[in-house]
Amino acid sequence: MAPIHYLPSLKHVAICGGTHGNEMSGIFLVKHWLRNPTELQRDTFHATPFLGNPRAVDKCVRYIDRDLNRTFSAEFLNSKDSDIESYEVQRTWEVNQIFGPKGSFQAYDFMFDLHNTTSNMGACLIVDSEHSLLPMHMCNYIQKHYTKSSCPIFLYQLPGEETYGISSVAKAALALELGPQPQGVLRADLLAQMQSIMACALDFTDLFNKGMLFPAFKIEAHKVAQRIDYPRYSDGEISAVVHPNLQDKDFLPLKPGDPIFQTVNGEPILYEGNDITYPAFINEAAYYEKKVAFVLMEKHTFSLPALQKKF
Amino acid sequence: MTSSQVVQEVPMRRIAIFGGTHGNELSGVFLVKRWQEDGTEIQRPGLEVKPFMANPRAVEKCCRYIDCDLNRVFDADHLGMKVTDDTPYEVKRAQEINCMFGPKGGHKEAYDLIFDLHNTTANMGSTLILETTTNDFTIQLCNYIKDSLAPETCSVFLIEHPNLKYATTRSIAKYPVGVEVGPQPQGVLRADILDKMRKIVKHGLDFLHIFNTGKEFPPCTIEVYKITEKVDYPRNKNNEIIAVVHPNLQDQDWQPLSPGDPMFLTFEGKTIPYEGDSVIYPTFVNEAAYYEKNQAFIKTVKQKLSAKGVRACLS
């Protein structure tokens, strides 16, 4: 029988909403929990809710100076240059001080980061990589216990890439990415979904802390492979839009020869890859400036070993 | 048909198509940019059609506005305001636009008609927005567009109201027509929504062209939704929203809401029903840009609007 992996219990758990100030589900849940935290209490711990980017939340924008979910890399964490006037860089230091320091023994054990997307990604669970054992077990638990919708897993880290998101401050993390929801809009259906998934994730954490043995399992997950930009004119303006056949088809197979964009004159631009691939973040509003029309993923099945708390 | 049922109007000459009145409503932004490079699609014989980016700074930043909502400042106060260093960008821009396409108030120099292209996050489909009930020509235009788009629906929203009407960018033209297509998130360009907007503009321009050739459009009656009230979210004493649009109402723009139907859902899971005493037709349900305007949705009532026949008087 495969060996059991033992990990320390999760005592310090944080839940971040409003890392992006116009993704409303997490913002409203965190505000709700700050007023009424009983929902976050479990026998073995209670989770700390906080707003990632309060100034962006006030203005209902993604960020003030730069994307807060890209500044938790060594470059920004270690630059103590007071010349840096970016609000998000200062906020990065604050968050790192409260919940980190990143990579240290004192850092929080776990952080949830709550997001929305304009893409039709459903209730997507985001983990850095399949090597993150505890978050992968948590995903497995959520998929088995939250059955109102499928919860596809997205592994975002490219090989050799440093982590840069806000939740990387903690020792382990899970991000929820729920869509489709326009920026600045709060939909009841997505709010309820996020609330239920969080309750489920906290239940898992509590059971883990209580010593439950989570057996080995196999799980399907999507691993990011490539980011695709819009076709553009020489002046940088986009010259084609996401093809109607691809719009809203996140996590569904895209085959060589399938249309991916449509020009102003109605001509399709076809996918020229050699293999079946799986797109996500299709037509995400915030990614126009990042020059990403969608990301392509590979679908894998991973085997993960059993997990139990280290006594 | 007797001649008294037909209104003679001078032919249309100058038409403008505004995009980017709100900088993050991307269908109109995208179309206007393309038409400024190649206007073949919007050219019609005898018509001067000008595509125009109304709020270029907001478009650049992909936000609704820089200082204040451009689509609310075309009233006499703002248009007549003395410009100083503190004047909001959009007020200055409104005055520029008024000089270029107005002046507002039915002046001879003003453009004949402005199509103003908008998107909404609400599930409103294709919508035309009219400012008055008394204009035969714009009713005829709506009727033509509705017929041309059938079987796809195209709703007509009437904002005529003693205190709910707002001072739109397009209101400087003799005939203002708002085009509102959704649902589309802010900052997103969807092929299907783009296609709907393009069709509305195409049929609108076709109507103007056909009208100019001297064809008579017989009297018609259209169904419109007239604004009656704006409804805010339930809020606590700190002015924070404490309930969201109920799932049964979400995406149900233009569908009847009867007394007792669910309207909001609180965080505690309590349903707040609609307590009016007659059926209303909600629209702009859960529009992103209206949170700051304290509007969860707009109540409308259905009514019929009739227009006399119209014909161009060709000399």
Side-chain angles (χ1 to χ4, degrees):
Chain A
M1 201 175 143
I4 298 169
H5 281 242
Y6 295 98
L7 288 172
S9 63
L10 307 177
K11 292 298 179 200
H12 298 286
V13 176
I15 307 175
C16 181
T19 299
H20 296 131
N22 53 12
E23 299 178 2
M24 305 302 272
S25 304
I27 295 168
F28 272 76
L29 280 177
V30 162
K31 284 184 174 175
H32 169 62
W33 290 327
L34 287 168
R35 285 191 296 263
N36 180 9
T38 47
E39 240 177 85
L40 303 183
Q41 280 162 18
R42 295 294 185 277
D43 294 342
T44 58
F45 72 105
H46 65 94
T48 309
F50 76 104
L51 285 179
N53 194 332
R55 278 186 55 193
V57 169
D58 276 346
K59 297 184 77 169
C60 196
V61 292
R62 183 173 174 91
Y63 56 80
I64 305 293
D65 296 314
R66 61 186 313 146
D67 192 335
L68 181 67
N69 214 27
R70 301 288 184 278
T71 52
F72 286 77
S73 57
E75 180 195 351
F76 295 103
L77 286 167
N78 300 336
S79 72
K80 289 291 170 194
D81 187 348
S82 56
D83 288 346
I84 294 180
E85 283 175 5
S86 156
Y87 167 71
E88 276 79 11
V89 173
Q90 288 171 31
R91 183 66 183 147
T92 298
W93 297 340
E94 280 174 25
V95 170
N96 190 45
Q97 199 145 50
I98 301 168
F99 300 101
K102 178 172 173 172
S104 76
F105 179 71
Q106 305 99 287
Y108 264 57
D109 299 311
F110 202 92
M111 190 181 286
F112 294 96
D113 189 19
L114 308 182
H115 289 264
N116 292 120
T117 172
T118 64
S119 307
N120 187 26
M121 286 170 65
C124 176
L125 310 175
I126 302 186
V127 179
D128 53 0
S129 85
E130 71 276 15
H131 304 298
S132 293
L133 182 60
L134 188 129
M136 291 300 284
H137 267 277
M138 188 182 278
C139 290
N140 186 45
Y141 183 89
I142 292 170
Q143 286 186 348
K144 291 203 157 50
H145 292 82
Y146 179 77
T147 51
K148 280 189 186 159
S149 65
S150 70
C151 298
I153 301 169
F154 179 81
L155 306 171
Y156 73 86
Q157 202 173 15
L158 290 166
E161 197 183 43
E162 183 190 7
T163 55
Y164 46 70
I166 192 167
S167 62
S168 68
V169 154
K171 288 175 188 135
L174 175 71
L176 304 187
E177 186 74 74
L178 269 56
Q181 181 170 269
Q183 298 175 344
V185 165
L186 191 57
R187 288 182 63 104
D189 47 1
L190 268 68
L191 192 69
Q193 203 172 33
M194 190 176 270
Q195 200 169 12
S196 301
I197 293 171
M198 274 309 305
C200 190
L202 295 176
D203 289 346
F204 166 84
T205 308
D206 198 36
L207 291 171
F208 171 75
N209 284 345
K210 285 173 171 166
M212 181 181 271
L213 172 70
F214 295 95
F217 63 100
K218 282 194 163 77
I219 196 163
E220 193 175 83
H222 297 80
K223 208 169 166 61
V224 67
Q226 199 186 349
R227 301 178 176 117
I228 306 291
D229 188 16
Y230 292 91
R232 293 178 188 266
Y233 294 108
S234 51
D235 64 357
E237 297 283 350
I238 68 171
S239 61
V241 297
V242 169
H243 196 279
N245 292 12
L246 178 60
Q247 178 72 49
D248 305 326
K249 301 295 196 305
D250 302 74
F251 293 108
L252 297 177
L254 179 70
K255 298 187 290 297
D258 283 349
I260 50 175
F261 295 109
Q262 186 175 53
T263 69
V264 181
N265 302 324
E267 289 143 16
I269 295 173
L270 308 180
Y271 175 58
E272 290 180 349
N274 299 316
D275 304 302
I276 290 182
T277 177
Y278 296 84
F281 284 110
I282 298 169
N283 211 346
E284 158 58 41
Y287 287 0
Y288 278 71
E289 65 172 21
K290 296 191 197 295
K291 303 200 184 312
V292 177
F294 51 89
V295 301
L296 293 179
M297 307 174 296
E298 294 162 354
K299 192 156 82 170
H300 295 283
T301 300
F302 297 104
S303 291
L304 287 118
L307 172 71
Q308 193 171 29
K309 188 184 82 164
K310 188 190 283 177
F311 284 94
Chain B
M1 181 186 310
T2 62
S3 60
S4 68
Q5 284 178 291
V6 176
V7 182
Q8 299 240 345
E9 299 245 9
V10 292
M12 297 290 118
R13 287 292 168 238
R14 291 191 304 164
I15 310 299
I17 305 175
F18 285 5
T21 293
H22 296 129
N24 53 12
E25 300 178 1
L26 293 192
S27 305
V29 171
F30 186 77
L31 288 174
V32 162
K33 274 186 188 164
R34 300 287 69 92
W35 291 334
Q36 283 176 335
E37 278 163 26
D38 179 1
T40 318
E41 186 179 336
I42 54 170
Q43 279 159 16
R44 298 290 184 279
L47 278 180
E48 180 195 325
V49 183
K50 187 174 172 59
F52 180 74
M53 199 67 79
N55 195 331
R57 279 187 56 195
V59 168
E60 189 75 24
K61 296 187 72 174
C62 195
C63 57
R64 185 173 173 92
Y65 56 77
I66 304 294
D67 296 319
C68 63
D69 193 335
L70 180 66
N71 212 29
R72 300 291 185 277
V73 292
F74 283 78
D75 54 307
D77 283 357
H78 286 104
L79 293 176
M81 189 181 273
K82 194 175 173 310
V83 172
T84 68
D85 289 351
D86 300 332
T87 307
Y89 167 70
E90 276 79 7
V91 173
K92 286 187 274 192
R93 185 66 181 156
Q95 294 187 2
E96 283 171 24
I97 293 171
N98 193 38
C99 285
M100 293 161 84
F101 297 95
K104 184 168 176 169
H107 289 267
K108 249 182 128 167
E109 314 90 274
Y111 266 59
D112 294 310
L113 190 143
I114 295 173
F115 292 106
D116 191 12
L117 308 183
H118 289 264
N119 292 121
T120 172
T121 64
N123 188 25
M124 289 168 64
S126 297
T127 301
L128 297 167
I129 305 182
L130 285 186
E131 311 227 337
T132 68
T133 51
T134 54
N135 191 291
D136 295 304
F137 188 78
T138 47
I139 295 169
Q140 287 282 359
L141 170 72
C142 291
N143 186 52
Y144 181 88
I145 294 173
K146 279 167 78 77
D147 281 355
S148 305
L149 289 173
E152 274 183 54
T153 58
C154 177
S155 309
V156 180
F157 178 45
L158 176 64
I159 61 168
E160 185 176 70
H161 192 278
N163 40 41
L164 297 178
K165 186 173 176 173
Y166 48 95
T168 61
T169 307
R170 56 193 174 265
S171 65
I172 53 179
K174 191 173 165 196
Y175 300 128
V177 179
V179 177
E180 186 81 67
V181 189
Q184 181 172 269
Q186 297 174 345
V188 166
L189 196 53
R190 286 182 64 104
D192 51 356
I193 300 291
L194 194 67
D195 185 56
K196 283 185 180 177
M197 185 175 277
R198 246 173 139 167
K199 280 186 182 145
I200 293 174
V201 173
K202 177 208 178 302
H203 294 310
L205 292 172
D206 287 349
F207 171 83
L208 300 175
H209 172 61
I210 297 166
F211 169 79
N212 275 359
T213 63
K215 179 183 156 63
E216 185 174 305
F217 292 88
C220 69
T221 299
I222 59 172
E223 187 174 74
V224 303
Y225 296 87
K226 183 180 159 69
I227 187 169
T228 59
E229 199 184 332
K230 295 173 177 176
V231 180
D232 190 14
Y233 294 91
R235 292 174 190 267
N236 64 18
K237 54 184 184 300
N238 298 327
N239 207 35
E240 292 168 320
I241 290 173
I242 53 161
V244 294
V245 169
H246 195 281
N248 292 15
L249 176 58
Q250 178 70 48
D251 305 325
Q252 302 304 310
D253 303 73
W254 310 124
Q255 302 301 316
L257 183 74
S258 304
D261 284 350
M263 190 164 63
F264 295 108
L265 185 67
T266 72
F267 285 123
E268 286 72 33
K270 190 177 147 238
T271 295
I272 300 175
Y274 166 58
E275 287 180 343
D277 28 66
S278 58
V279 173
I280 54 120
Y281 297 83
T283 193
F284 280 110
V285 177
N286 210 347
E287 158 58 41
Y290 288 178
Y291 279 72
E292 65 170 21
K293 295 187 200 296
N294 294 344
Q295 276 173 237
F297 63 91
I298 290 174
K299 290 183 187 174
T300 75
V301 292
K302 255 193 221 186
Q303 73 177 58
K304 301 264 190 225
L305 218 51
S306 295
K308 294 186 180 126
V310 294
R311 189 175 67 216
C313 51
L314 305 174
S315 52

